[in-house]
Amino acid sequence: MSSILDTPLLKEAVASCHYFWEAGWGEFHAGNLSYLLSEEELADLKPFFRDDPIRVPVAFDTCGLEGRYFLATRSGGQFRTLPNRVERDMGIIRVVEGAYEIVWGYEDGAGRPTSETPAHLLCHAARLSQNPDNRIVMHCHPTYLNAMSTIADMSEEALTKTLWSLNSECVLVFPDGVGVLPWMKCGEGPIGPATAEKMKTYRVVVWPYHGIFASGSSFDETIGLIETIDKNAHVYVSVGGNIKQCITDEQVHELADHFGLETAF
Ligand SMILES: [Zn+2]
């Protein structure tokens, strides 16, 4: 391959980032993503890495992820325009003790990975402790879920059960439920560790009046998870939260039992 942009992972990552914008989940600078490279992907991408990695010391916990490589969107990048500026708005870092090294991208090393990188690494470590196949952590702003968070009971149990009640597919896609944090200041600070703590239990954590952190073992799985949640949040807000009839709790559990799924609630 003559360009890193022709590798299967970069093609999928770029198309997925653009989809996040098309879906309305990543306006302007909103949204960021990190992806843990597999050994095969690393072998594919390594020929394109810099000979002189740029070492960036960090004060945050690297969570035992030393030696791992992550593809991550750039701080200040935009999902809408990313496909036209991949080498500027994406990059690959290698986590090392007390630092990360930029091995590719970010405008030839002048830029930096997402400012949410500390939260991403914490969340990767949390998800990997539950599922060694987890690859993605991503943050975005799904419109209908944000709308729902202004009118629905947002306890984890109530939100999860409301979504499960709206479509038979929901409990099948996220039997593990949806985690919810109280509103917190975004950026560096307690919200990252709080999100990671929730990710020990949930693949998705809602930040009310802001968006979500979602995770998964592939782009398809993660996008599917967000789509399913946001689709049903759309249904909820379309009726103004006035649900006269829906799938009962008992029926949800019948469905889960039929597919051999354990439910969070
Ligand atoms: Zn955000």
Side-chain angles (χ1 to χ4, degrees), residues 25 169 173 218-229:
W25 305 340
E169 193 190 30
V173 174
S218 67
F219 283 99
D220 284 349
E221 185 193 307
T222 312
I223 290 172
L225 182 59
I226 302 168
E227 274 183 328
T228 307
I229 291 172

Side-chain angles (χ1 to χ4, degrees), residues 135-206:
R135 291 264 169 268
I136 296 184
V137 169
M138 75 104 40
H139 167 63
C140 64
H141 297 176
T143 310
Y144 297 106
L145 186 63
N146 280 349
M148 185 175 178
S149 73
T150 65
I151 56 172
D153 180 340
M154 290 297 284
S155 75
E156 283 167 352
E157 181 167 352
L159 174 64
T160 299
K161 284 185 166 177
T162 301
L163 291 168
W164 283 347
S165 76
L166 295 173
N167 190 305
S168 306
E169 193 190 30
C170 286
V171 74
L172 308 182
V173 174
F174 49 98
D176 48 337
V178 177
V180 182
L181 286 179
W183 182 89
M184 295 171 80
K185 279 200 299 283
C186 54
E188 279 186 46
I191 197 166
T195 305
E197 193 53 39
K198 288 284 180 195
M199 280 213 160
K200 290 180 184 165
T201 308
Y202 302 103
R203 287 174 296 157
V204 171
V205 180
V206 180

Side-chain angles (χ1 to χ4, degrees), residues 27 29-32 116 139-141 186 207 210-213:
E27 73 283 0
H29 295 299
N32 41 67
E116 305 277 6
H139 167 63
C140 64
H141 297 176
C186 54
W207 292 0
H210 185 151
I212 57 170
F213 255 68

